[in-house]
Amino acid sequence: MTQPRSRSAAASGRGRPPGGEVVLDGLGVSPGVAIGPAHRHEAGEVPVPEHAVPAAGIDDELARFRAAVDAALRQIAKLKQRGARLPAAAGEEIGFLLDAHAQMLSGSRLVRGVEARIATARTNAEAAVQQETSSIAKAFAAMDDSYLAARVADVRDVGGRLLRNLTRTTFRAFSDLAEGTIVVAEDITPADTALMDPERIAAFACVAGGMEGHTAIMARSLGLPAVLGAAGLMEVAAPGDMVVVDGSAGRVVVRPEPATLAAYEEKRAAFLRAERQLRRLARLPAVTRDGIPVALHANLELPRDADLAMQHGAAGIGLLRSEFMFMNRDDLPGEDEQYAALARAVTALGGRPATIRTLDAGGEKLPAALRATVAPGPNPALGLRAIRLALREPVLLETQLAAILRAAVHGPVRILLPMISHLHEIQQVRAVLARVERRLLRRGVALAEPRPPLGVMIEVPGAALAADSLARACDFFAIGTNDLTMYTLAIDRGDEQVAHLYTPLHPAVLRLIQFTTEAALRNRIPVSLCGEMAGDPRYTALLLGLGIRELSMAPIKIARIKNRVRGIDLAAAALRAQAIMGQSDPGRIAALLDDFNALA
Ligand code: PEP
Ligand code: MG
């Protein structure tokens, strides 16, 4: 994050004019551009009186605290009712959050801690609430766990609510703001965000906040452009100042110069045009001109992007790369933490399927916690990675499978295994899965009926060539053309020096895709393709022509691929695919494909 800088000062050469344009960089947590007058949202630091309570007054003080807790629970119930009127994903998000807040007020550590401070230390209720929330927040922050770090904001939010109730400080809502207002603040809590009406508030920006927090998630699900972490914002933005919030680039401009304003007006118009187009396409079905439906799914790196996938019209998640939960930390995530993240994504899909891939790590992508037990091999791409690593570290696999099985009660889930090359790897995973199920049932955990299907990535040439036997042992295939191309052509997908030789249009790669697809069809199991190829409209006709009916890609690519699908005549595409499969030169294949694409 950069310090505020004045553009106009530099441009005019007249020194820093008070009130000139100021550009601030922060985190663009929710895309879109908004321009409007600033409203400074003052959280209103509640003054906290501090005094000792006489022994005779302890019962009254406890009663006063309990009344504040009851009032907070009523306020939360009311907020929940309002939340139910928000767009589906936002409503669900705020619902989870408010449930967590209500739990913190029901016999929790917070309530017990405050009561103990009043009863034994004879601290007044306000000071007891402040001391207890600070102590819990400190303990959570010290645990160096991103999940608990996000909970710190919740503890503070609940503490703030109790303090307002105790001191009878009223909360300033956003309902009386003029349409098009931009809210700027030191901090905006997720509960504040729930009170924002996207019809009235154009965007918000604040100094605090991170990409992972609930405020960011809420902004995305409400479709409100937002920038968090804009250091210096409250020093430069006065009430009524014209403000630009560019949630796509993570930038806030206070008092823009006419030229800046014109550029952002243009950017806003372009964003709205693209959004309209996207919305129009998101509502239209992905069917070919001759009426064959194609399922377009999303590849996700972070479960929190499930909402984004829905906005782009994804029919589900075709590939959730679970690596995110294991990176940038020194320990391994436990079952509960994994379950919480996965359950959130599954729930956000509202009944659409989620394909969750088990850990695809190893080599240079080895989580820090495993570095002591896994020795680096001579060739990471061919070494102890993905399913091989998981089977060598059964606790890792068992924990992950338990979390996935538990998440499956929230919606349809499929389990996907990365880098399978042997039949016995699937059989070994089935044995682990059965063990994990038995353990969960013994713990009294409810499991989804029927159990999630178990599928495999086809991304190793040997697996593609053995597709018939693998198809008989698993429930679905997902073709990973990124690795399949790399392993088939022996070209590292990350090595620039040989990048010119890396092409999925090599006839060997295409034959493996075709062979895998036909094996799946012969064995009556679903097959999808989730490599980068799926998100490139140049290849769509060829893949459909080869028999693929399910593609999974980055959410942002779905609209373009849908557009392409809707322009394709499948009978013609199948004929062209046949002609292409008779070729041996990637250049000739590319020409035949481009020629077909230009016609259709
Ligand atoms: C692939 O290999 O094509 C794939 C989808 O998996 P990843 O890119 O995560 O290796
Ligand atoms: Mg892969």
Side-chain angles (χ1 to χ4, degrees):
M1 263 162 268
T2 55
Q3 288 304 307
R5 56 185 195 275
S6 166
R7 281 266 177 85
S8 55
S12 67
R14 279 181 282 109
R16 177 182 288 246
E21 174 179 301
V22 181
V23 179
L24 303 165
D25 287 326
L27 297 167
V29 298
S30 179
V33 176
I35 304 167
H39 163 76
R40 284 176 65 101
H41 171 64
E42 312 285 355
E45 276 295 291
V46 183
V48 180
E50 194 168 347
H51 55 84
V53 180
I58 286 179
D59 283 346
D60 285 351
E61 197 64 4
L62 282 171
R64 205 163 70 80
F65 170 62
R66 282 175 198 139
V69 170
D70 289 345
L73 285 168
R74 282 195 303 276
Q75 290 155 352
I76 288 172
K78 227 189 219 165
L79 269 176
K80 236 187 130 174
Q81 276 169 12
R82 292 179 78 137
R85 296 198 294 269
L86 293 170
E92 221 156 60
E93 178 63 33
I94 196 69
F96 275 137
L97 184 83
L98 293 171
D99 285 344
H101 285 197
Q103 252 171 34
M104 279 183 210
L105 290 166
S106 315
S108 63
R109 169 173 168 188
L110 173 62
V111 172
R112 279 184 280 116
V114 172
E115 286 176 344
R117 282 173 200 271
I118 297 173
T120 50
R122 295 216 214 142
T123 310
N124 65 311
E126 290 89 344
V129 166
Q130 192 174 51
Q131 288 164 11
E132 191 58 31
T133 43
S134 302
S135 137
I136 297 177
K138 250 193 229 143
F140 279 9
M143 284 184 207
D144 196 22
D145 172 321
S146 59
Y147 178 77
L148 286 181
R151 301 282 76 74
V152 170
D154 294 337
V155 175
R156 293 230 161 89
D157 210 3
V158 170
R161 182 178 297 286
L162 288 173
L163 284 177
R164 281 198 302 275
N165 291 345
L166 284 165
T167 55
R168 300 184 185 280
T169 312
T170 47
F171 183 76
R172 278 222 51 196
F174 303 109
S175 47
D176 51 350
L177 296 182
E179 209 175 301
T181 300
I182 292 187
V183 175
V184 297
E186 201 58 50
D187 193 6
I188 290 185
T189 68
D192 291 343
T193 332
L195 294 170
M196 289 186 185
D197 175 1
E199 299 290 315
R200 187 158 287 280
I201 288 167
F204 69 88
C206 56
V207 179
M211 211 75 181
E212 299 277 353
H214 280 111
T215 300
I217 297 171
M218 281 298 293
R220 283 193 287 276
S221 35
L222 285 168
L224 272 179
V227 173
L228 305 185
L233 177 64
M234 297 309 274
E235 279 85 71
V236 296
D241 272 352
M242 185 60 76
V243 173
V244 175
V245 172
D246 182 347
S248 309
R251 178 159 284 191
V252 182
V253 186
V254 182
R255 296 177 297 275
E257 295 281 338
T260 313
L261 195 59
Y264 275 108
E265 268 163 0
E266 177 51 37
K267 189 169 181 187
R268 178 176 61 178
F271 182 84
L272 293 176
R273 268 197 308 278
E275 281 278 282
R276 271 198 299 278
Q277 167 107 6
L278 208 68
R279 268 201 294 275
R280 198 173 59 79
L281 273 170
R283 282 198 303 270
L284 295 176
V287 282
T288 61
R289 285 219 318 260
D290 40 353
I292 306 297
V294 179
L296 301 182
H297 289 243
N299 289 354
L300 296 194
E301 267 71 50
L302 297 171
R304 66 155 193 251
D305 287 342
D307 288 336
L308 189 74
M310 297 304 95
Q311 283 160 25
H312 287 273
I317 298 178
L319 169 63
L320 176 56
R321 295 178 165 103
S322 60
E323 290 81 80
F324 75 94
M325 287 190 277
F326 295 78
M327 297 301 160
N328 303 318
R329 56 189 295 163
D330 296 324
D331 57 346
L332 291 171
E335 182 188 312
D336 285 349
E337 184 185 339
Q338 293 190 45
Y339 160 73
L342 297 175
R344 176 184 294 272
V346 172
T347 306
L349 293 181
R352 295 174 189 84
T355 306
I356 303 170
R357 187 172 72 183
T358 59
L359 185 63
D360 183 6
E364 74 295 347
K365 276 200 305 179
L366 194 62
L370 290 171
R371 283 193 202 132
T373 47
V374 180
N379 191 337
L382 305 180
L384 186 62
R385 48 170 296 202
I387 199 64
R388 303 165 186 180
L389 176 64
L391 287 169
R392 232 274 314 257
E393 300 290 325
V395 176
L396 185 76
L397 182 61
E398 283 168 13
T399 308
Q400 195 166 27
L401 290 177
I404 300 175
L405 284 174
R406 285 172 58 194
V409 298
H410 299 286
V413 161
R414 307 195 304 172
I415 303 172
L416 179 59
L417 306 176
M419 226 192 139
I420 289 286
S421 51
H422 284 276
L423 180 63
H424 62 72
E425 289 163 335
I426 306 175
Q427 291 158 344
Q428 276 174 273
V429 173
R430 284 217 188 270
V432 177
L433 202 51
R435 191 160 68 232
V436 171
E437 276 183 25
R438 281 197 301 275
R439 262 188 222 152
L440 287 173
L441 291 172
R442 270 203 302 274
R443 266 165 53 191
V445 175
L447 295 180
E449 287 290 352
R451 301 281 194 268
L454 181 70
V456 304
M457 293 284 294
I458 301 291
E459 50 187 347
V460 173
L465 292 168
D468 274 297
S469 62
L470 297 183
R472 286 192 286 275
C474 73
D475 304 314
F476 66 96
F477 281 162
I479 306 176
T481 44
N482 304 339
D483 280 323
L484 188 62
T485 306
M486 165 166 102
Y487 290 123
T488 305
L489 304 179
I491 296 167
D492 193 312
R493 61 196 254 200
D495 187 345
E496 302 243 323
Q497 301 176 85
V498 284
H500 62 289
L501 297 171
Y502 181 99
T503 170
L505 291 186
H506 191 290
V509 180
L510 294 182
R511 283 192 189 133
L512 292 175
I513 294 174
Q514 183 183 39
F515 189 78
T516 305
T517 307
E518 288 174 357
L521 296 177
R522 268 195 300 279
N523 290 282
R524 297 179 204 287
I525 63 165
V527 55
S528 67
L529 190 142
C530 59
E532 288 305 298
M533 222 185 159
D536 188 337
R538 185 183 183 204
Y539 303 125
T540 313
L542 173 59
L543 296 175
L544 299 190
L546 289 176
I548 302 272
R549 297 289 177 270
E550 188 180 322
L551 297 166
S552 191
M553 66 209 78
I556 200 97
K557 304 209 166 141
I558 291 176
R560 280 188 74 195
I561 298 296
K562 189 183 276 186
N563 203 23
R564 181 71 194 108
V565 166
R566 291 176 62 83
I568 290 173
D569 180 283
L570 193 56
L575 279 176
R576 183 53 59 110
Q578 231 174 44
I580 285 174
M581 294 313 288
Q583 304 298 318
S584 53
D585 171 48
R588 176 83 187 123
I589 290 174
L592 278 173
L593 195 54
D594 293 342
D595 173 56
F596 182 81
N597 288 337
L599 287 175

